[in-house]
Amino acid sequence: MTRIVMVGARGRMGQAIVGLAKKDPSFEVVDEVDVGDAIAAQFGACDVIIDFTHHTATVEIATWAARAGKALVIGTTGHTASEREAVLACAERIPLILSPNFSVGVNALFYLTRRAAEILGEGFDREVVEMHHRLKKDAPSGTARRLAEILAEQMGGTYEELCRHGRLGDTGERTGREIGVHALRGGDVVGDHTVVFAGAGERVELTHKASSRDTFAGGALRAAAWLKGRGPGSYTMFDVLGLG
Ligand code: NAD
């Protein structure tokens, strides 16, 4: 039995996670917290706190979790570098997973993207395209950012050095040392991601399309059950899924 506190419980993901957890006897939802609720009221009674809120909220949630000695699953995306650093510092005291995507399929996409980049080499231009529903608040998505980071790492660079967000005006020719990242918004799209490798005379595209939030919600619960009882540290979905 894993006892969870859901933070961001009235949001799209919060509702999906609480809905799944309540149907599964191996989870107990101890508390559902959202804006205006006392954030740590029930932390003492739970094993794992799950955060799907807004990037500005995660540092406070992680600080509370570290003080209470509770494991933390973070699905929230869009953190600034300093927010991310402050959150990850809490891993010295508690076990936590900060993942931009909890679906098994997207984690397979992360793995395949690295392999494809290694096989195809820098002769293939790399671009990432994502599409999400019109209510999404951050861009590019955390998943697109992670895909671009994987591509940049494989090229021996960083996201900040190599990524170009959209193109407008007199951009000049594309160089071999850039990764285009493009965010589309509209309708009720749950989450589409495509990694394009464009070479001379051929193109490889790796695509993942999520059609239900339950895929992320199920993965977040799987991560929570896996994290319960672990020692302090920053873990990943690759650890949870045994992808090494
Ligand atoms: P949403 O806007 O529907 O829900 C967010 C909820 O968090 C809202 O109910 C809001 O009131 C609440 N909230 C905001 N600040 C809070 C605070 N300080 N304390 C308590 N509650 C607070 O958004 P969503 O679609 O559910 O997505 C939430 C986050 O999860 C986003 O960052 C999104 O990008 C991310 N996300 C991650 C994954 C993944 O697999 N990691 C999947 C989908 C969405």
Side-chain angles (χ1 to χ4, degrees):
M1 165 73 76
T2 305
R3 295 166 306 162
I4 63 165
V5 166
M6 183 71 229
V7 190
R10 287 198 289 274
R12 285 174 288 269
M13 280 306 301
Q15 289 181 45
I17 291 167
V18 168
L20 274 190
K22 284 186 174 171
K23 282 189 238 154
D24 184 337
S26 59
F27 292 96
E28 182 189 349
V29 182
V30 173
D31 202 6
E32 299 172 39
V33 179
D34 208 287
V35 167
D37 301 326
I39 198 169
Q42 296 287 348
F43 278 12
C46 77
D47 303 304
V48 185
I49 296 155
I50 305 182
D51 163 45
F52 278 74
T53 55
H54 187 259
H55 71 91
T56 53
T58 306
V59 174
E60 189 187 1
I61 293 163
T63 306
W64 276 105
R67 257 184 229 147
K70 301 296 178 184
L72 179 62
V73 170
I74 304 164
T76 304
T77 61
H79 301 106
T80 63
S82 65
E83 285 168 347
R84 192 180 164 84
E85 196 181 322
V87 168
L88 291 177
C90 295
E92 286 174 18
R93 295 171 65 186
I94 53 168
L96 66 80
I97 293 182
L98 168 61
S99 174
N101 202 303
F102 284 95
S103 97
V104 174
V106 161
N107 281 280
L109 178 65
F110 289 153
Y111 180 86
L112 294 170
T113 295
R114 189 178 296 277
R115 281 297 291 137
E118 286 165 359
I119 293 165
L120 297 170
E122 291 191 31
F124 282 72
D125 295 328
R126 301 148 182 217
E127 302 266 318
V128 178
V129 185
E130 58 107 330
M131 180 162 189
H132 283 83
H133 54 90
R134 63 194 302 281
L135 300 174
K136 183 164 175 62
K137 297 184 182 75
D138 56 309
S141 70
T143 301
R145 189 187 160 98
R146 183 65 200 127
L147 288 165
E149 277 172 2
I150 290 167
L151 295 171
E153 283 162 20
Q154 202 278 326
M155 291 162 81
T158 66
Y159 180 87
E160 287 73 19
E161 285 162 10
L162 300 182
C163 284
R164 264 186 102 166
H165 296 278
R167 292 190 179 86
L168 180 69
D170 189 8
T171 59
E173 290 180 8
R174 188 195 198 285
T175 71
R177 290 284 294 172
E178 66 187 63
I179 300 164
V181 181
H182 313 276
L184 283 61
R185 292 288 175 268
D188 59 359
V189 177
V190 173
D192 294 354
H193 294 88
T194 296
V195 182
V196 180
F197 296 90
E202 59 178 340
R203 186 163 85 241
V204 177
E205 296 186 358
L206 301 176
T207 295
H208 177 273
K209 295 188 180 194
S211 50
S212 165
R213 285 189 178 81
D214 282 356
T215 184
F216 311 129
L221 287 172
R222 184 168 170 175
W226 186 89
L227 210 55
K228 178 186 166 185
R230 304 247 163 209
S234 173
Y235 300 94
T236 70
M237 269 312 272
F238 275 25
D239 297 320
V240 176
L241 299 172
L243 289 176

